[in-house]
Amino acid sequence: MKMPTTWEGWASRVSVYVREGKKVLQLPRFPIRIEEFAESYSRQLFPGDPITMVEGQDFGGRFEGALIPNEAKDEWAIIYDNGHTSRGRINFTLAHEFGHYLVHRHLSGEPFYCSRKQMWDWDSDYARMEVEANSFAAFVLMPPDDFREQTKDFRRPTLRDFEILRDRYEVSLTAVVLNWLKTTKSRAMLVVGRDGFIDWSWGSAPLFTSGVYFQARQVTTPLPDTSLAALGPTAGVVEIQHPQGVWSEYEPVLESVVFAEYHEMTLSLLIYPPGGPGRRRDDLEDRLEDSADERY
Ligand SMILES: [Zn+2]
């Protein structure tokens, strides 16, 4: 049988395998747990160099996961960081490493060590294999047909809506929101805050093309003072409709927030009105440029 050569090819093949396998076994389709089939699947297809171990180790937070061959390179192990307890995060990491095994292991023959930072640099060119492994994981764990069906009525979703999907697919909240942002027609953005500053953000294509975006990491951008993310967990509110002047100078924004899914981080989902303010730049970007000017 001809083997796929791309992550898309592998993702749809694995997806069909899991769906049909669960039908035969009369099991519910979701959640899809990689450790339940990665070893047997790889033995069937690649008896010469299968995955023979899926195991947790304490990486002390340095890596989320790894794909490691033995010395003869005829067996592979998937190792995940068991220093934390989020099942969804582990499941996504396992799918990511499984993606490396199927799509990339021939390319380097070297071990893959994947840090959280690398895994979530979805937009960086140098990390093409990381992007592909994430795309593979998202496709396999949240198959497009089901994901579309589950989100078809999302007009102004909050993180509560995504928590339901997180539990359905057994992934992290970040993964499920990013998966939605990749395809939605809504103007929406996920902002990850840390210590009062924007750590990184990811906007939907319609938001970006309407001129709203900002570059995190290159300069420090504080979270807006009156945003839920900046108010902290004591605010006791998980969502609010902000007037203009909080996240955007020109537009009201619906913010829902979750604290500390990961250590000392906030996740804010921002929903902007449809249409947008034209091709005017967002005030956050202006502020960013102001602060950049101050630095130089
Ligand atoms: Zn990786």
Side-chain angles (χ1 to χ4, degrees), residues 96-97 100 114 119 130 133:
H96 174 106
E97 302 304 336
H100 279 321
C114 306
M119 281 179 64
E130 292 306 289

mmCIF file of all heavy atoms in Angstrom, residues 96-97 100 114 119 130 133, ligand 1:
data_model
loop_
_atom_site.group_PDB
_atom_site.id
_atom_site.type_symbol
_atom_site.label_atom_id
_atom_site.label_comp_id
_atom_site.label_asym_id
_atom_site.label_seq_id
_atom_site.Cartn_x
_atom_site.Cartn_y
_atom_site.Cartn_z
ATOM 1 N N HIS A 96 1.191 15.172 18.555
ATOM 2 C CA HIS A 96 2.257 15.949 17.909
ATOM 3 C C HIS A 96 3.483 15.051 17.633
ATOM 4 O O HIS A 96 4.019 15.021 16.520
ATOM 5 C CB HIS A 96 2.604 17.121 18.837
ATOM 6 C CG HIS A 96 3.766 17.967 18.416
ATOM 7 N ND1 HIS A 96 3.619 19.231 17.880
ATOM 8 C CD2 HIS A 96 5.105 17.747 18.471
ATOM 9 C CE1 HIS A 96 4.825 19.741 17.620
ATOM 10 N NE2 HIS A 96 5.740 18.860 17.970
ATOM 11 N N GLU A 97 3.888 14.284 18.627
ATOM 12 C CA GLU A 97 5.054 13.401 18.456
ATOM 13 C C GLU A 97 4.742 12.266 17.473
ATOM 14 O O GLU A 97 5.606 11.844 16.700
ATOM 15 C CB GLU A 97 5.502 12.815 19.800
ATOM 16 C CG GLU A 97 5.875 13.849 20.868
ATOM 17 C CD GLU A 97 6.960 14.828 20.437
ATOM 18 O OE1 GLU A 97 7.752 14.479 19.532
ATOM 19 O OE2 GLU A 97 7.005 15.941 20.989
ATOM 20 N N HIS A 100 5.333 13.634 14.162
ATOM 21 C CA HIS A 100 6.768 13.611 13.824
ATOM 22 C C HIS A 100 7.188 12.210 13.369
ATOM 23 O O HIS A 100 7.940 12.048 12.412
ATOM 24 C CB HIS A 100 7.621 13.993 15.041
ATOM 25 C CG HIS A 100 7.723 15.470 15.288
ATOM 26 N ND1 HIS A 100 7.851 16.397 14.279
ATOM 27 C CD2 HIS A 100 7.743 16.185 16.454
ATOM 28 C CE1 HIS A 100 7.934 17.617 14.814
ATOM 29 N NE2 HIS A 100 7.864 17.516 16.126
ATOM 30 N N CYS A 114 10.672 18.562 21.798
ATOM 31 C CA CYS A 114 9.761 19.660 21.477
ATOM 32 C C CYS A 114 9.407 20.434 22.731
ATOM 33 O O CYS A 114 8.785 19.903 23.637
ATOM 34 C CB CYS A 114 8.492 19.114 20.841
ATOM 35 S SG CYS A 114 8.854 18.067 19.411
ATOM 36 N N MET A 119 6.566 24.396 20.072
ATOM 37 C CA MET A 119 5.312 23.828 19.599
ATOM 38 C C MET A 119 4.302 24.904 19.261
ATOM 39 O O MET A 119 3.474 24.730 18.394
ATOM 40 C CB MET A 119 4.721 22.903 20.662
ATOM 41 C CG MET A 119 5.373 21.547 20.696
ATOM 42 S SD MET A 119 4.668 20.517 21.989
ATOM 43 C CE MET A 119 2.968 20.326 21.442
ATOM 44 N N GLU A 130 7.507 21.702 13.258
ATOM 45 C CA GLU A 130 6.652 21.886 14.434
ATOM 46 C C GLU A 130 5.232 22.259 14.014
ATOM 47 O O GLU A 130 4.257 21.755 14.565
ATOM 48 C CB GLU A 130 7.232 22.979 15.338
ATOM 49 C CG GLU A 130 8.534 22.599 16.009
ATOM 50 C CD GLU A 130 8.393 21.295 16.779
ATOM 51 O OE1 GLU A 130 7.720 21.298 17.820
ATOM 52 O OE2 GLU A 130 8.929 20.273 16.322
ATOM 53 N N ALA A 133 3.564 19.172 12.669
ATOM 54 C CA ALA A 133 3.189 18.227 13.727
ATOM 55 C C ALA A 133 1.968 18.732 14.485
ATOM 56 O O ALA A 133 1.083 17.949 14.863
ATOM 57 C CB ALA A 133 4.370 18.000 14.682
HETATM 58 ZN ZN ZN B 1 7.750 18.837 17.758
#
